[in-house]
Amino acid sequence: MTLKTVSSDNIIRIAMKKRNYKILVIDESVSFVLSMKHLLSHQEINVIPCLPHVATETIQTVYPDVILLSFCLKPGSSINLLARIKRNPEVKNIPVIIVSKTKGMIINQALEEGAFDFLVKPFTYNDIMETIYAALELSHQGKSSSSVSLKKLN
């Protein structure tokens, strides 16, 4: 399995379609949310911080273009939240990118639950931007995130 690649032409096309994309960052770490806000603000991406316990309601209120979901939360809570998102017909097509400190079984489980992709910390600027723009392209095509081929875990 391989991740769908995003060419620079696709990134430019996506960037021209809409300004001020909304990325919901679900994490308990204020420092991670602030670093994402700083990093993505240069791309005219509006980062909306969200604590895990209000994520379901916030997703339905904000209806973001992409969700970044931290897997540094309490064991099992991230998978449960992802499953709730993907079972909700109103928001199930929003691509969810998993952010984790490690690869492993939890990532496999997240991908099986419908996560769009994953990033392992620390990641590069190019890694996050390519992944976000691939998710934005999918989001604006109106396809389900489960239709994307996934990264091979090595």
Side-chain angles (χ1 to χ4, degrees):
M1 294 190 254
T2 58
L3 175 69
K4 179 180 176 185
T5 58
V6 180
S7 70
S8 56
D9 290 341
N10 285 342
I11 290 173
I12 291 167
R13 189 176 71 242
I14 294 165
M16 291 175 63
K17 281 185 182 178
K18 177 180 173 184
R19 294 287 185 192
N20 297 317
Y21 291 105
K22 294 183 288 188
I23 308 287
L24 187 69
V25 179
I26 303 171
D27 199 324
E28 294 171 338
S29 167
V30 173
S31 62
F32 178 71
V33 173
L34 289 175
S35 66
M36 288 291 90
K37 192 171 186 104
H38 175 73
L39 182 71
L40 299 175
S41 67
H42 300 306
Q43 298 295 321
E44 296 191 46
I45 294 175
N46 183 20
V47 173
I48 302 160
C50 182
L51 293 172
H53 67 278
V54 294
T56 304
E57 298 82 13
T58 304
I59 292 166
Q60 291 182 308
T61 303
V62 172
Y63 202 84
D65 296 293
V66 174
I67 298 168
L68 288 180
L69 174 59
S70 171
F71 262 45
C72 299
L73 306 174
K74 295 175 189 169
S77 63
S78 299
I79 286 290
N80 291 335
L81 177 55
L82 175 62
R84 284 196 312 272
I85 293 167
K86 292 304 174 180
R87 281 194 308 263
N88 183 330
E90 294 178 21
V91 298
K92 71 179 185 178
N93 291 332
I94 299 172
V96 178
I97 300 168
I98 303 304
V99 179
S100 175
K101 290 183 180 179
T102 61
K103 291 183 189 180
M105 293 301 291
I106 194 77
I107 298 297
N108 285 331
Q109 188 178 359
L111 294 173
E112 289 171 6
E113 286 288 342
F116 171 74
D117 201 354
F118 69 93
L119 290 168
V120 177
K121 294 177 186 178
F123 45 80
T124 67
Y125 176 79
N126 286 343
D127 289 341
I128 187 78
M129 294 315 300
E130 286 179 14
T131 304
I132 286 173
Y133 279 120
L136 287 170
E137 180 176 33
L138 180 74
S139 176
H140 290 281
Q141 289 174 352
K143 294 181 181 175
S144 169
S145 60
S146 61
S147 68
V148 174
S149 53
L150 305 168
K151 284 183 181 176
K152 184 176 180 181
L153 292 174
N154 290 327

